[in-house]
Amino acid sequence: KKSLISPNPVKDKLILYPGEKNTELRIIIIDLNGNILKNKIFNNKDASKIEIEVDDLAPSIYFVRLISDSKFENIKFVKK
């Protein structure tokens, strides 16, 4: 199942709906140059959504990369 993010464009808090419940989900925020800006591991065994603070990012286009045992996904988002 595909993951979703909201809102897009985002101002301060990105909400991620992982699409499936995993025991461990790595979330990486990457800029257009491929630089890793955030790299966190979440245990979303019971969570249907994950909130990620992005208010410290400059206005631009970014990618959120999701990695788990069963998933590798990139989702583009715009920071206002």
Side-chain angles (χ1 to χ4, degrees):
K1 204 172 163 186
K2 237 183 146 172
S3 301
L4 301 171
I5 58 170
S6 177
N8 193 6
V10 62
K11 186 176 179 185
D12 52 5
K13 193 179 293 187
L14 187 67
I15 300 172
L16 168 67
Y17 301 91
E20 61 185 41
K21 293 182 180 177
N22 303 293
T23 52
E24 195 173 275
L25 180 65
R26 180 175 293 275
I27 299 175
I28 303 170
I29 305 286
I30 302 166
D31 67 12
L32 287 174
N33 296 318
N35 299 311
I36 294 174
L37 307 176
K38 295 180 186 272
N39 186 351
K40 295 188 177 185
I41 295 176
F42 289 87
N43 183 340
N44 75 320
K45 199 173 189 177
D46 303 316
S48 59
K49 70 178 185 179
I50 298 169
E51 295 183 356
I52 304 164
E53 296 291 334
V54 293
D55 54 343
D56 57 331
L57 299 179
S60 186
I61 297 170
Y62 297 92
F63 292 91
V64 58
R65 179 171 291 165
L66 311 172
I67 304 169
S68 73
D69 290 340
S70 60
K71 177 182 292 220
F72 184 94
E73 206 173 345
N74 285 310
I75 304 171
K76 184 169 128 181
F77 72 93
V78 176
K79 167 66 169 70
K80 289 199 261 188

